Amino acid sequence: MNNHPAVKVENLTKTFDGKELIKNCNMTVPKGTIYGFLGVNGAGKTTVFKMLSGLLTPTMGNVKILDMDVISQRSEVLRNIGTIIETPIFYEHLSAIENLEIHLAYMEGGDTDIDSVLTQVGLTNTGKQPVSKFSLGMRQRLAIARAIIHKPKLLILDEPINGLDPIGIREMRELFLDLVHTEEITVLISGHILSEIEHLADTIGVIVNGSVIQEVSLAKVKAEYPNGLEDFFMEIMNGRISDA
Amino acid sequence: MLKYIQLELRRNNIRTYIIASMIIAIVMLGFLYLLAYAPKLEPSDKDLEIFLGYHNLIPLFGVLNMAAFCVLSAVMYSKLIVEEYSGKRTILLFSYPVSRIKILFSKLSVVGIFTILSMSSSNLMIYLIFGITENFLHLVNEAFTAVNMLHAIKTTLVMAIVAASIGIIATGIGFMKKSIPTTIITAVLLASLMCNIVANTTSSMMFMYLFSLVIIFIGMLFALGLVHKVSQMEVE
C-alpha cells in the first residue's frame, strides 16, 4: 500500500447564492481505512460528499480521489467509487437484480456475481418483485449492494444505515469491516448514530459550519474520552475544542 | 452509444408507449373516415370544402396525426428527460461514469426515433386500410391512387420529424421549470399552432415544408440548449 491518501480535499469552498456553505475545507482520508464523517444537520456533510462524487462543482479548491481530479477525470473517478448519497433512488418497476444489472452495464463492471453480492447484503429471494414493493430496510440493503457491486476502491456512504434494524446494522458493519480488511477498500461514512461510527471508524472528521475542524484517529479520541465518541462530539459542538 | 440507447429502453417501460401509439392509430383511423365523410354531411356548407379531395385531406389529416404523436412524444420526453433530470433522480443519473451528454443524446434519440417510427408505421397502416376500404366506400370524390399514397408518405415523414422536434422544443421549455405539465401544455400549444398553419396553406406544399424546416431548426437549437444545461448542471 502506498501512502497516497484515498481522498485529499484542499481549501474546498462552495457558495450557493453568495452564501458560503463549505469554506476552506481540508480533509484527508488515508487509504484502506474507515473515515467517520460527523457533523450536525446542515453542517455540510452531504454537500462535501456531492463534491467528492462530482455531482457539484467546487467554487474553489481541489478534490483528489485516488490521486485523480474529480472534475477533469470524472468518469475514471466515478468508475472507482461507490456512493450512497441522500435517499437512494432506484428504477422502481424493476427487480433488485435488474437494477443491479443496469447499474453494472453503466459502470462497465464486467462479470460480477449479482447473487453473491445480494447474499452479502442479506437481500436474497426477492425474485421478480419490483423495488417499489421493498421496505425501507430492503432498499437500504439494495443501495449498499449497488454501491459495492462494481468493486470500487472507495465507498462514499451518506447515512447508509438509516432504516436498518439492529441486526441489519450489525450485518452491514461487519460487511464494511470485511471489505476494508479483505479488499482494501477505503470507506468514507457519515451518520448520526455516534455509537455506530465508534464501532467502525479508524479516523474521525468533524465538520462544523462548512469546514472540517477536527481530524483525529479514533484511538486518540478513545484515550482522551473514555466515555466514548459522544463526549468528544459534544465538546466540539460546545466550542471547547477550537480549530485544529 | 447504441448500448446506452438499449439501456434507456430497458429501464424505461417502453411498452406503455407502444400501446399508446396503437390506440392513437385506431382513433386516428376513425378521424380519417370522419374527415373524409365531412363534406357529405352538408354539401352546401362551404367551410367543409377544406376536406374535399386528397390534396386537402392528406395534409389536414397529417397535421392532426402529428399533433397526437407530438403530445405522445412530449409525454415521453417528460418521463425520460424532465423527470430524470429533476430532484434526486439526477443523483442516480450523474453517478454513472458516462459522459452526461452521451446519456442525454441517447434519451433524445430514443424518443425521437420512437416518435418517427411509431407515427410513420401507424400512418402507413391507416392509409392502407383507408385506401382499401375506399375501393367500395367512395367517401372521397376521387380515387386513391399511387400519387396520393406518395403524397401521404411524404407528408407523414415530414410531420413525424416535426412531431419529434416540437417534442424537443416543449421539453426545452418544460426543462426550464422542471415541470411536466409545462412540457405537455407547450407541446399542445405548438402542435395546434402548426395545425392552423397547415390547415390554411393546404394549397401549397411549399409552406408546409418551410414551416416544418423552421420548426426542425428550432428543435435542434433547443436540443443544443438542453445539452448545455445538462453538462453544467449541479445536483443540489
Side-chain angles (χ1 to χ4, degrees):
Chain A
M1 224 194 299
N2 57 23
N3 46 17
H4 283 273
V7 178
K8 180 90 189 146
V9 174
E10 281 173 331
N11 299 322
L12 189 67
T13 300
K14 179 74 192 173
T15 55
F16 281 118
D17 308 318
K19 256 181 75 184
E20 282 186 324
L21 246 71
I22 304 294
K23 47 195 172 215
N24 267 324
C25 188
N26 291 294
M27 199 174 159
T28 311
V29 180
K31 250 182 203 166
T33 61
I34 299 182
Y35 186 103
F37 197 39
L38 305 178
V40 292
N41 290 331
K45 292 185 303 264
T46 305
T47 310
V48 170
F49 279 0
K50 281 181 176 172
M51 281 191 274
L52 294 183
S53 47
L55 294 171
L56 286 174
T57 320
T59 313
M60 240 168 46
N62 244 318
V63 180
K64 287 244 189 288
I65 305 273
L66 307 161
D67 283 327
M68 290 178 284
D69 185 74
V70 173
I71 303 302
S72 60
Q73 292 164 281
R74 177 179 166 271
S75 295
E76 203 49 40
V77 167
L78 289 181
R79 200 164 291 132
N80 286 298
I81 65 174
T83 53
I84 298 180
I85 291 175
E86 293 189 357
T87 325
I89 300 283
F90 302 101
Y91 304 114
E92 298 283 333
H93 60 288
L94 300 176
S95 71
I97 293 176
E98 285 169 313
N99 264 283
L100 293 178
E101 277 171 358
I102 289 175
H103 178 76
L104 277 174
Y106 276 111
M107 286 293 180
E108 285 160 15
D111 295 331
T112 309
D113 189 358
I114 292 179
D115 283 333
S116 78
V117 175
L118 283 176
T119 317
Q120 249 182 320
V121 298
L123 200 65
T124 44
N125 300 320
T126 53
K128 284 193 172 8
Q129 218 183 137
V131 175
S132 55
K133 298 247 160 70
F134 280 22
S135 69
L136 191 59
M138 287 163 82
R139 301 170 81 90
Q140 210 63 32
R141 284 168 194 261
L142 181 58
I144 294 169
R146 189 172 61 187
I148 63 174
I149 196 165
H150 54 284
K151 300 197 168 63
K153 297 193 181 74
L154 170 70
L155 283 177
I156 298 177
L157 308 171
D158 191 12
E159 301 179 10
I161 52 174
N162 274 7
L164 288 177
D165 54 30
I167 300 167
I169 291 179
R170 167 171 274 184
E171 281 172 8
M172 291 310 120
R173 181 201 307 156
E174 277 156 12
L175 173 65
F176 295 146
L177 288 171
D178 184 55
L179 285 172
V180 171
H181 294 142
T182 57
E183 320 253 342
E184 294 190 353
I185 285 183
T186 310
V187 180
L188 178 52
I189 189 168
S190 80
H192 289 298
I193 308 172
L194 294 177
S195 59
E196 195 43 48
I197 303 289
E198 204 170 355
H199 277 126
L200 272 172
D202 302 304
T203 315
I204 301 290
V206 182
I207 183 167
V208 176
N209 292 329
S211 23
V212 175
I213 63 164
Q214 277 276 325
E215 246 181 359
V216 287
S217 75
L218 188 71
K220 205 175 151 206
V221 175
K222 275 188 174 156
E224 282 176 37
Y225 298 87
N227 286 338
L229 200 52
E230 197 174 308
D231 285 1
F232 167 73
F233 189 68
M234 290 306 155
E235 290 273 301
I236 294 180
M237 289 306 136
N238 294 332
R240 259 172 266 178
I241 304 175
S242 54
D243 285 46
Chain B
M1 193 66 191
L2 205 63
K3 180 181 148 194
Y4 300 121
I5 291 180
Q6 278 170 348
L7 282 169
E8 278 313 318
L9 291 175
R10 253 191 91 182
R11 60 205 184 84
N12 290 289
N13 218 340
I14 211 82
R15 239 190 32 222
T16 327
Y17 304 109
I18 295 177
I19 295 169
S21 57
M22 284 200 273
I23 294 171
I24 294 178
I26 294 166
V27 173
M28 280 298 142
L29 181 64
F31 253 104
L32 183 56
Y33 283 111
L34 188 68
L35 294 184
Y37 187 65
K40 293 199 173 167
L41 284 171
E42 255 177 85
S44 54
D45 194 338
K46 284 265 180 254
D47 286 343
L48 289 176
E49 272 177 22
I50 58 162
F51 300 116
L52 215 54
Y54 282 112
H55 67 283
N56 284 325
L57 195 57
I58 288 171
L60 282 177
F61 175 71
V63 76
L64 194 65
N65 204 2
M66 185 279 288
F69 276 94
C70 174
V71 174
L72 177 69
S73 91
V75 171
M76 280 182 84
Y77 278 124
S78 308
K79 271 279 178 203
L80 265 77
I81 296 182
V82 178
E83 200 179 78
E84 290 242 306
Y85 287 104
S86 51
K88 288 179 180 171
R89 295 211 71 88
T90 336
I91 295 181
L92 177 57
L93 208 54
F94 284 177
S95 55
Y96 296 137
V98 182
S99 116
R100 293 179 179 187
I101 295 170
K102 252 190 202 167
I103 291 189
L104 179 66
F105 264 123
S106 62
K107 286 173 179 295
L108 286 172
S109 11
V110 165
V111 185
I113 294 169
F114 180 86
T115 308
I116 292 169
L117 279 184
S118 63
M119 183 170 157
S120 321
S121 55
S122 64
N123 260 19
L124 200 68
M125 290 233 302
I126 289 172
Y127 280 118
L128 272 178
I129 296 173
F130 186 77
I132 292 166
T133 58
E134 263 308 271
N135 284 326
F136 42 88
L137 275 179
H138 304 299
L139 287 173
V140 185
N141 58 359
E142 52 185 317
F144 192 70
T145 59
V147 179
N148 295 139
M149 193 64 191
L150 198 69
H151 184 192
I153 290 173
K154 264 199 294 195
T155 312
T156 299
L157 279 180
V158 174
M159 284 302 159
I161 300 172
V162 169
S165 309
I166 291 183
I168 294 180
I169 298 173
T171 311
I173 291 169
F175 200 82
M176 291 175 197
K177 298 213 162 233
K178 294 279 171 63
S179 148
I180 293 177
T182 310
T183 311
I184 296 170
I185 289 170
T186 311
V188 172
L189 289 178
L190 287 173
S192 31
L193 183 72
M194 191 71 193
C195 281
N196 272 309
I197 290 170
V198 174
N200 289 311
T201 54
T202 44
S203 49
S204 140
M205 283 294 278
M206 261 334 273
F207 270 111
M208 193 186 82
Y209 287 139
L210 198 71
F211 281 117
S212 306
L213 268 180
V214 172
I215 293 239
I216 291 165
F217 180 69
I218 299 174
M220 282 175 174
L221 287 184
F222 270 92
L224 284 178
L226 271 179
V227 166
H228 180 73
K229 271 212 189 96
V230 166
S231 57
Q232 302 285 318
M233 214 167 140
E234 301 241 273
V235 188
E236 283 174 34

